[in-house]
């Protein structure tokens, strides 16, 4: 992992923020592109040029925020997922490239006096569906298949799982190797085996030394995983 990324996340974690950075940026892009499309549709319905200008301003702001959103997405991928190359990530990278292409095309087509053209509206529509697909893939990294109900007893373990494991093991699966899911894994046999695996796992899984996950946190995580996805 690039050292500056590790330093950056270590700094924000010491300040009390231990979550991914990307969602704080990507929602701005999504909201602004939704706004651009809504304003453009209203402008077409009511024949109001000022609404086309509002749509244009939303679009330009979305283009501005797209760059920090993509950068922080790459940083989160490197830090939390160790840069693992699996289908969801491939899809997000491809859609990010498409979004940049659409933003660039819209920037050129929607220059002053052409904000309300059909071509610009089509770009807004494609951008809307592209960010929707990006949001779906991003959400699937964390939420796909996660059990909906767990008692308070396992709340801490679930929080540890969602912060450290859910990206690669949504719903107890394994996005990099579907044939080796969490459920039924031999490393869940007991706490000692589980901890030894976390400290020194097989690639591409990253190691979790005691400074990242204490023994008590490993214990809570093991209790949660065994409860959430029992082997039988």
């Amino acid at each position: 992992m690039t050292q500056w990324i590790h330093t950056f996340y270590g700094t924000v974690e010491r300040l009390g923020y231990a979550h991914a950075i990307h969602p704080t940026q990507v929602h701005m892009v999504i909201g602004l592109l939704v706004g651009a499309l809504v304003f453009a549709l209203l402008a077409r319905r009511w024949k109001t040029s000022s609404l086309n200008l509002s749509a244009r301003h939303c679009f330009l702001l979305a283009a501005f925020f797209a760059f920090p959103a993509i950068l922080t997405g790459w940083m989160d991928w490197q830090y939390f997922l160790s840069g693992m190359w699996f289908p969801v990530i491939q899809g997000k990278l491809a859609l990010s490239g498409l979004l940049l292409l659409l933003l660039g095309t819209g920037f050129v087509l929607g220059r002053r006096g052409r904000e309300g053209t059909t071509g610009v509206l089509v770009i807004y529509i494609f951008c809307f569906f592209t960010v929707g697909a990006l949001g779906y893939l991003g959400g699937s990294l964390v939420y796909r298949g996660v059990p909906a109900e767990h008692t308070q007893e396992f709340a801490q373990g679930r929080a540890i799982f969602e912060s450290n494991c859910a990206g690669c093991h949504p719903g107890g699966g394994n996005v990099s190797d579907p044939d080796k899911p969490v459920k039924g894994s031999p490393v869940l046999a007991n706490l000692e085996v589980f901890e030894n695996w976390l400290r020194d796992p097989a690639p591409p899984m990253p190691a979790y030394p005691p400074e990242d996950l204490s023994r008590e946190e490993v214990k809570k995580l093991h209790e949660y995983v065994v409860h959430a996805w029992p082997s039988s």
Side-chain angles (χ1 to χ4, degrees), residues 7-129:
T7 302
F8 173 79
Y9 282 95
T11 300
V12 296
E13 285 174 8
R14 285 192 293 273
L15 295 174
Y17 188 92
H19 303 290
I21 306 294
H22 177 61
T24 66
Q25 305 300 310
V26 74
H27 291 148
M28 298 180 187
V29 180
I30 294 173
L32 286 165
L33 287 176
V34 170
L37 179 58
V38 170
F39 280 128
L41 292 173
L42 290 175
R44 179 152 295 220
R45 173 65 178 82
W46 301 110
K47 311 296 183 184
T48 307
S49 59
S50 61
L51 290 176
N52 278 323
L53 189 58
S54 295
R56 174 68 172 175
H57 290 161
C58 285
F59 184 82
L60 292 177
L61 282 173
F64 174 81
F65 281 110
F67 293 97
I70 292 173
L71 174 61
T72 54
W74 178 78
M75 291 168 59
D76 284 352
W77 174 41
Q78 295 298 314
Y79 186 76
F80 292 103
L81 301 177
S82 299
M84 292 177 60
W85 191 255
F86 46 85
V88 174
I89 294 296
Q90 294 174 29
K92 283 178 67 66
L93 289 173
L95 288 171
S96 296
L98 174 60
L99 181 61
L100 287 177
L101 178 62
L102 290 170
L103 290 171
T105 304
F107 179 82
V108 174
L109 291 181
R111 57 189 179 275
R112 184 177 295 276
R114 297 179 57 83
E115 298 94 345
T117 61
T118 299
V120 171
L121 178 60
V122 170
I123 292 294
Y124 292 166
I125 292 172
F126 274 107
C127 283
F128 173 82
F129 284 108

